[in-house]
């Protein structure tokens, strides 16, 4: 799914913590987004009932995914579209590149799509000699910067308008003022030409509706609508779980998605595509292809312990309340999918508990993500289970293994426990200041570098209790 970053999670986090501009931008944005979401939740009657209904829809769909995928495929083909299945990221890249070559595409315009980020589609198409332009404003900014998204909903959440103006000025060849109207005006001018000259439009998919074979795209900029209405060929790429059974179910999840993401009652543009243009239609593509990507999802589907991770509706609400994300931003996770949901699905999609299995530790397990999730995914529980899985598989740091081995040895008997506490109380004295261990011992550095480590009490609870009895 993702190219492995060079740095370890600990080093990526340490680097992010030094980037005060990024941290300030992220904190400001997530405070606004989570505040808007809370307000939207208060304004929608029976919020918890909406959450429960969303959970039931997602659970039912994922539990019967084979049936709904077959129904979706049948209805898209009936409408004149073509459906392709890709087992891996590599297979998806090859398939989409081959489709573009089949239509002799030179210029491709894309709307926002996390699954195409997941499979690294842009670099594959560019390597095949095609120009690929992201049409979502934030994605366009990141493409110019050569960066990946740092938030599912707000990909350029870490950038301020001065940095964006600098990027646009570089493309423009002259200064673009760092104010929102000027930046929007420049992006609109550049992207409009790209839309008009695109041979192929590539989109993601918020939800496919199985009963009608419809593809639903939600945006605030209208770029998905232009990406699907102007090019003659449209290719939609979706993760295999991005389905709802009916339009009635779509209404529920589309009520929860914008409210949970940005606090909006509805996004500015909701586009529904029903295959290629039909006789009498005034616009639309001539050829429509749907590429359904597995890339590890079948493995998650088969695992009842983690299947709920596929219930995600990609709103980003868990990012906005996560105390770890607000400190380190999205790039420190190293994966296309950051935040709490990314820490769950990345090791599962990658099937890698050694390197990516460290991501579940980027959490305080405070459960804020679980309570924020509109689909009621037990994220904190899944994160905890993944940690257990990693430990059980023996992929634990040697120091941690040693520490817990000693803990087990000394704490299993009252006599050794008493000895250990007495030894700790005496041995720590040179390291303690104002009730905390502050000396930077290498073995404790991962803790004391950023947090206080409370000193062991001079007298144990047993000693104090014994004294009280006297």
């Amino acid at each position: 799914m993702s190219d492995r970053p060079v740095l370890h999670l600990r080093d990526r986090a340490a680097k992010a913590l030094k980037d005060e501009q990024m941290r300030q931008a992220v904190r400001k944005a997530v405070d606004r987004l989570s505040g808007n979401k809370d307000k939207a939740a208060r304004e929608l009657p029976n919020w918890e009932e909406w959450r429960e209904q969303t959970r039931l829809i997602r659970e039912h769909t994922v539990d019967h995914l084979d049936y709904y995928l077959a129904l979706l495929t049948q209805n898209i083909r009936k409408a004149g579209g073509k459906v392709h299945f890709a087992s891996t990221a590599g297979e998806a890249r090859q398939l989409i590149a081959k489709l573009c070559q089949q239509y002799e595409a030179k210029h491709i315009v894309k709307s926002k799509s996390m699954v195409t980020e997941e499979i690294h589609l842009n670099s594959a198409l560019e390597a095949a000699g095609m120009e690929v332009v992201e049409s979502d404003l934030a994605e366009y900014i990141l493409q110019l910067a050569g960066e990946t998204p740092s938030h599912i909903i707000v990909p350029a959440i870490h950038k301020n308008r001065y940095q964006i103006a600098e990027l646009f000025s570089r493309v423009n060849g002259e200064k673009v003022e760092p104010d929102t109207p000027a930046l929007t005006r420049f992006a609109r001018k550049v992207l409009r030409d790209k839309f008009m000259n695109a041979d192929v439009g590539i989109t993601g998919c918020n939800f496919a509706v199985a009963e009608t074979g419809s593809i639903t795209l939600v945006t605030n900029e209208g770029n998905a609508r232009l990406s699907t209405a102007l090019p003659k060929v449209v290719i939609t790429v979706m993760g295999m779980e991005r389905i709802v059974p009916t339009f009635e179910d779509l209404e529920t999840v589309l009520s929860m998605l914008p409210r949970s993401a940005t606090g909006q009652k509805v996004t500015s543009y909701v586009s529904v595509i029903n295959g290629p243009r039909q006789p009498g239609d005034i616009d639309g593509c001539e050829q429509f292809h749907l590429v359904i990507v597995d890339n590890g999802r079948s493995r998650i589907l088969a695992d009842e312990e983690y299947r709920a991770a596929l219930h995600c509706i990609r709103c980003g609400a868990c990012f906005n309340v996560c105390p770890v994300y607000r400190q380190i931003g999205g790039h420190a996770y190293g994966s296309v999918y950051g935040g709490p949901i990314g820490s769950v699905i990345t090791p599962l999609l990658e099937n890698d508990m050694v390197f990516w299995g460290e991501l579940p530790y980027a959490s305080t397990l405070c459960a804020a993500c679980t309570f924020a999730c509109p689909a009621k995914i037990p994220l904190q529980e899944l994160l905890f289970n993944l940690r257990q899985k990693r430990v059980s598989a023996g992929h634990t740091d040697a120091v941690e293994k040693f520490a817990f081995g000693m803990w087990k040895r000394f704490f299993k008997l009252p006599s050794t426990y008493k000895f250990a506490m007495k030894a700790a109380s005496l041995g720590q004295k040179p390291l303690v200041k104002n009730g905390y261990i502050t000396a930077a011992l290498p073995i404790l550095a991962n803790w004391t570098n950023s947090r206080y480590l409370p000193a062991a009490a001079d007298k144990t609870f047993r000693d104090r209790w014994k004294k009280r009895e006297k």
Side-chain angles (χ1 to χ4, degrees):
M1 183 182 72
S2 308
D3 290 336
R4 284 187 178 185
V6 176
L7 297 176
H8 185 278
L9 171 63
R10 182 174 56 240
D11 299 321
R12 299 197 301 271
K15 183 181 175 187
L17 288 171
K18 292 176 184 172
D19 189 344
E20 190 50 41
Q21 180 280 317
M22 178 278 291
R23 296 177 66 198
Q24 192 176 354
V26 169
R27 284 197 297 266
K28 185 178 176 184
V30 297
D31 282 347
R32 187 181 72 253
L33 292 170
S34 58
N36 290 346
K37 182 249 177 184
D38 290 344
K39 185 181 174 192
R42 288 193 298 272
E43 290 174 351
L44 185 68
N46 309 317
W47 175 258
E48 288 304 316
E49 290 180 23
W50 281 89
R51 284 183 76 209
E52 178 62 14
Q53 186 60 27
T54 305
R55 185 191 71 79
L56 290 172
I57 291 169
R58 294 302 296 144
E59 183 178 77
H60 169 81
T61 309
V62 170
D63 286 353
H64 301 84
L65 197 54
D66 54 344
Y67 170 77
Y68 288 115
L69 277 172
L71 184 61
L72 174 71
T73 302
Q74 176 188 324
N75 286 323
I76 284 180
R77 286 175 177 160
K78 197 184 294 181
K82 296 181 177 62
V83 182
H84 314 266
F85 288 87
S87 300
T88 64
E91 199 173 313
R93 288 193 299 267
Q94 286 180 12
L95 200 158
I96 296 165
K98 194 173 174 184
L99 284 173
C100 292
Q101 287 164 343
Q102 177 187 325
Y103 294 108
E104 300 179 344
K106 295 293 181 192
H107 306 287
I108 295 168
V109 68
K110 276 184 68 210
S111 70
K112 183 174 176 293
S113 162
M114 289 305 292
V115 72
T116 60
E117 294 282 349
E118 174 188 324
I119 63 174
H120 302 291
L121 181 61
N122 285 13
S123 54
L125 296 180
E126 286 165 355
M130 303 168 208
E131 180 201 47
V132 184
V133 177
E134 296 285 351
S135 63
D136 175 88
L137 179 56
E139 291 279 3
Y140 177 62
I141 291 165
L142 295 181
Q143 188 176 27
L144 294 180
E147 297 177 8
T148 54
S150 64
H151 190 287
I152 285 182
I153 296 298
V154 195
I157 194 171
H158 57 290
K159 291 210 172 291
N160 61 33
R161 58 195 168 100
Y162 299 100
Q163 293 172 309
I164 297 167
E166 193 177 322
L167 287 167
F168 284 5
S169 299
R170 197 175 70 200
V171 176
N172 194 37
E174 58 183 71
K175 185 177 181 182
V176 177
E177 293 299 326
D179 60 75
T180 304
L183 297 172
T184 307
R185 195 162 48 246
F186 171 78
R188 185 179 290 141
K189 180 184 169 189
V190 173
L191 292 176
R192 188 166 291 168
D193 286 341
K194 302 298 181 185
F195 283 122
M196 297 305 293
N197 294 315
D199 303 306
V200 170
I202 294 179
T203 78
C205 170
N206 288 96
F207 291 101
V209 183
E211 69 170 353
T212 58
S214 307
I215 301 299
T216 309
L217 301 164
V218 296
T219 69
N220 278 319
E221 299 162 17
N223 59 304
R225 187 166 295 180
L226 287 172
S227 298
T228 54
L230 295 176
K232 290 182 179 179
V233 180
V234 168
I235 301 171
T236 293
V237 189
M238 61 172 269
M240 62 186 279
E241 82 283 12
R242 311 295 302 157
I243 299 183
V244 290
T246 67
F247 261 93
E248 192 177 1
D249 297 323
L250 181 67
E251 181 188 352
T252 300
V253 293
L254 285 192
S255 292
M256 295 300 280
L257 176 59
R259 284 182 168 90
S260 302
T262 60
Q264 292 171 278
K265 292 178 181 174
V266 64
T267 45
S268 303
Y269 296 86
V270 178
S271 304
V272 179
I273 307 168
N274 287 295
R277 181 190 300 188
Q278 301 296 314
D281 288 351
I282 59 173
D283 60 13
C285 62
E286 295 175 6
Q287 298 290 335
F288 176 79
H289 295 264
L290 175 64
V291 178
I292 299 174
V293 178
D294 183 329
N295 200 31
R297 289 166 174 79
S298 290
R299 193 170 45 248
I300 302 175
L301 184 66
D303 190 336
E304 289 188 10
E305 189 174 11
Y306 299 107
R307 187 182 298 167
L310 296 178
H311 298 174
C312 179
I313 65 170
R314 300 287 191 269
C315 67
C318 61
F319 286 59
N320 303 335
V321 296
C322 177
V324 174
Y325 177 82
R326 66 181 286 121
Q327 295 297 333
I328 64 174
H331 289 156
Y333 291 83
S335 166
V336 168
Y337 301 109
I341 186 64
S343 297
V344 170
I345 63 174
T346 301
L348 296 173
L349 288 174
E350 293 281 357
N351 197 25
D352 177 359
M353 291 306 297
V354 180
F355 184 82
W356 293 113
E358 62 183 9
L359 279 183
Y361 290 86
S363 167
T364 62
L365 299 182
C366 64
C369 49
T370 297
F371 289 105
C373 177
K376 300 177 84 168
I377 300 172
L379 287 163
Q380 160 226 13
E381 186 180 317
L382 298 181
L383 288 164
F384 183 74
N385 291 348
L386 283 167
R387 290 187 186 186
Q388 280 190 319
K389 186 176 181 179
R390 190 168 194 259
V391 171
S392 300
H395 305 310
T396 315
D397 181 78
V399 174
E400 188 178 331
K401 274 184 188 174
F402 173 77
F404 278 98
M406 295 300 287
W407 183 88
K408 180 181 175 183
R409 184 170 182 178
F410 283 99
F411 280 55
K412 66 181 179 182
L413 294 173
S415 57
T416 52
Y417 169 79
K418 190 176 177 183
F419 169 78
M421 294 309 296
K422 195 69 182 173
S425 177
L426 294 173
Q428 69 178 355
K429 286 190 181 299
L431 313 174
V432 175
K433 185 178 180 183
N434 298 326
Y436 294 96
I437 295 176
T438 55
L441 289 181
I443 196 170
L444 298 176
N446 287 339
W447 185 287
T448 56
N449 279 346
S450 57
R451 290 166 289 189
Y452 292 113
L453 178 63
D458 290 337
K459 290 185 179 177
T460 65
F461 174 77
R462 286 168 181 267
D463 291 336
R464 291 202 300 275
W465 187 259
K466 198 180 289 182
K467 186 178 178 182
R468 185 176 179 272
E469 284 181 331
K470 290 176 182 176

